[in-house]
Amino acid sequence: MAKTIGIGICGGIAAYKIAELVSKLRKKEFEVIVMMTDAATRFIPPLTLRTLSGREVISDLWTETLEWKVQHVGIAEQLDLLVIAPATANFIAKMAHGLADDLLSTVVLANTAPVLVVPSMNTNMFENPVVQNNILTLQRLGYHFMDPDSGLLACGVSGKGRLPEVDDILTQILALMAPPQDLAGKKIMVNAGSTCEDIDPVRYITNRSTGKMGYALAREAIGRGAEVILVSGSTQLPVPPGVQFIPVRSAREMCAAMLAQQPGCDVIIGAAAVGDFRAAVAAEQKIKKADDGSGRVTLELVQNPDILKELSKSKEPGCIMVGFAAETENVLENALSKLAAKKLDLIVANDVTMEGAGFACDTNICTIIRNAADIRHLPKTSKESVAQAIWDRVVELL
Ligand code: CTP
């Protein structure tokens, strides 16, 4: 059965280019349902899109239909992919805040299919932090975005904001309709989250990791066809559907679980923030306050195993091992020495002191390092996009 793509057109000058996109999608035998905002109908006549899509163009929330079903719910249920192009700053804001005051915005809310957003607007509008925040909010929720092209804009200025080439949008649509199955048949193990080291029955040592990076890696690998084992320390995140989930608490438990699952793994990624130290003895009873007047309590710490080092001792030929390096200074130098010390194939370095990088945030600023001569910097982007880039790099090595 032909797949159905919803094309939501907003009121921007690039709206006319969507006619070509609709025509190309029809030639590829997709069903195309065109929805237009009121403003979009001022830039391109619905008749053009009706003719090209071979269907009625929908723009009015209040049209009476013969079907018993509420119009926007009925449309949303048919979609395999929803594309918003051109997406204006206003429409992106509406999506980011759940507003539903016209046909297209109600379809967006009722829709459960993947969404591809293709922004196009004036450079200053695009770069405005309010717009960028709205984009991040949506990326965090799993919306896919295409970066605008740079060039001369209709408003006369030169900069970022042009609608990408129609063929590039088409390529992105095709990729989303059928994600590359380049990890099919691969057995992958990812660890994620923070470990907890008990001090006594009520207290423990942990860290600020939320697990978002590791979970994004697991979700992306599932989407690309892999068999995924997710060994997870503490997080507040939902378990990604399709993974084999192994919850653990301490670094030693995590290490034991991973060593047991290691045979046959094609890729192992250490994204967990493993606690380096634990209490030498976890007290059986709650430790009492010092009553000797010193105001001091001494806790002896001992070092935990380094999980990646342990795994690399029994690394099987062909297995790719990837680690992260959370650094606060000398990022590249420290990452390179961890790459060597842990016998890794790749290390993903980030300076956790930078705004928008590291623990407990939704973006990351990473560098993927193969060796001193092969260092690839990624821009500040969502953890989902970082996960995609890491898997792309791993696939090159596999
Ligand atoms: N790691 C590990 N076992 C540990 C500590 C870290 O497997 N006990 C892994 C992490 O999951 C990460 C990589 O090693 O992939 C680097 O972790 P990081 O915290 O940056 O470095 P450490 O090795 O702990 O070194 P240091 O804290 O001294 O910088």
Side-chain angles (χ1 to χ4, degrees):
M1 210 173 89
K3 298 259 179 170
T4 303
I5 299 178
I7 302 280
I9 310 178
C10 306
I13 185 61
Y16 76 93
K17 297 186 182 169
I18 304 307
E20 190 190 345
L21 178 67
V22 170
S23 160
K24 289 192 163 173
L25 286 170
R26 289 291 294 143
K27 284 187 187 131
K28 294 211 171 286
E29 303 196 338
F30 289 109
E31 285 296 327
V32 180
I33 301 179
V34 177
M35 291 156 282
M36 300 176 79
T37 62
D38 234 8
T41 61
R42 294 171 182 247
F43 285 93
I44 178 166
L47 177 62
T48 308
L49 294 151
R50 188 175 85 187
T51 312
L52 292 170
S53 67
R55 277 174 177 256
E56 208 57 53
V57 168
I58 304 156
S59 54
D60 183 4
L61 191 54
W62 307 110
T63 308
E64 299 271 349
T65 60
L66 294 177
E67 296 213 8
W68 62 269
K69 210 165 233 175
V70 180
Q71 192 183 209
H72 57 273
V73 176
I75 296 167
E77 279 177 358
Q78 296 174 52
L79 303 181
D80 295 296
L81 177 73
L82 174 58
V83 181
I84 308 293
T88 55
N90 181 55
F91 200 78
I92 290 170
K94 278 167 57 166
M95 288 194 290
H97 294 89
L99 298 187
D101 60 357
D102 64 0
L103 189 276
L104 184 56
S105 50
T106 48
V107 170
V108 169
L109 279 191
N111 168 61
T112 53
V115 184
L116 172 65
V117 186
V118 193
S120 170
M121 66 194 77
N122 162 273
T123 310
N124 292 341
M125 287 174 84
F126 181 70
E127 286 173 356
N128 189 305
V130 176
V131 175
Q132 287 299 314
N133 266 339
N134 287 337
I135 291 177
L136 267 181
T137 301
L138 291 167
Q139 282 179 326
R140 223 173 46 208
L141 296 171
Y143 286 57
H144 302 272
F145 270 77
M146 280 185 83
D147 231 16
D149 279 355
S150 296
L152 184 64
L153 305 176
C155 51
V157 299
S158 228
K160 202 169 180 180
R162 283 169 60 92
L163 192 82
E165 294 301 324
V166 166
D167 281 339
D168 292 340
I169 303 176
L170 188 64
T171 307
Q172 188 68 26
I173 289 175
L174 297 178
L176 284 171
M177 294 302 281
Q181 294 297 292
D182 47 8
L183 293 172
K186 302 291 177 199
K187 181 175 167 188
I188 283 165
M189 176 157 61
V190 179
N191 68 8
S194 54
T195 53
C196 297
E197 304 296 341
D198 290 329
I199 296 172
D200 67 19
V202 296
R203 305 181 181 96
Y204 56 87
I205 305 170
T206 189
N207 58 63
R208 291 172 191 271
S209 167
T210 56
K212 284 180 183 161
M213 193 61 245
Y215 276 54
L217 282 160
R219 273 196 307 274
E220 176 70 13
I222 286 282
R224 289 163 81 148
E227 175 197 336
V228 179
I229 303 166
L230 176 59
V231 182
S232 177
S234 156
T235 79
Q236 301 290 320
L237 302 171
V239 177
V243 301
Q244 182 187 336
F245 188 68
I246 305 181
V248 293
R249 183 168 170 81
S250 67
R252 283 184 299 172
E253 263 182 51
M254 185 176 266
C255 192
M258 293 186 81
L259 285 169
Q261 296 292 332
Q262 183 179 23
C265 280
D266 297 288
V267 186
I268 297 174
I269 302 193
V274 185
D276 287 326
F277 310 103
R278 66 175 185 276
V281 181
E284 277 182 21
Q285 304 301 331
K286 189 177 168 211
I287 299 171
K288 294 292 177 193
K289 282 197 281 289
D291 53 9
D292 58 3
S294 69
R296 285 169 178 266
V297 174
T298 304
L299 187 64
E300 192 188 351
L301 299 178
V302 293
Q303 206 151 303
N304 271 329
D306 185 303
I307 300 178
L308 287 179
K309 264 191 196 162
E310 292 303 316
L311 291 166
S312 64
K313 284 183 197 159
S314 40
K315 181 177 172 181
E316 293 174 348
C319 175
I320 305 286
M321 286 188 48
V322 184
F324 277 75
E327 303 297 338
T328 53
E329 56 179 357
N330 305 327
V331 178
L332 290 183
E333 202 183 315
N334 289 341
L336 280 165
S337 45
K338 282 180 191 171
L339 180 80
K342 300 180 194 233
K343 298 196 175 70
L344 303 173
D345 300 279
L346 290 175
I347 192 147
V348 184
N350 60 357
D351 180 343
V352 287
T353 62
M354 282 173 84
E355 199 194 322
F359 293 148
C361 77
D362 295 312
T363 54
N364 220 346
I365 309 170
C366 290
T367 306
I368 304 181
I369 304 170
R370 171 91 172 109
N371 53 50
D374 183 344
I375 293 177
R376 302 187 193 176
H377 297 282
L378 301 179
K380 173 175 156 183
T381 185
S382 65
K383 288 186 173 171
E384 279 70 27
S385 300
V386 174
Q388 276 171 14
I390 293 170
W391 285 121
D392 287 347
R393 189 69 186 94
V394 168
V395 166
E396 285 174 31
L397 300 181
L398 274 170

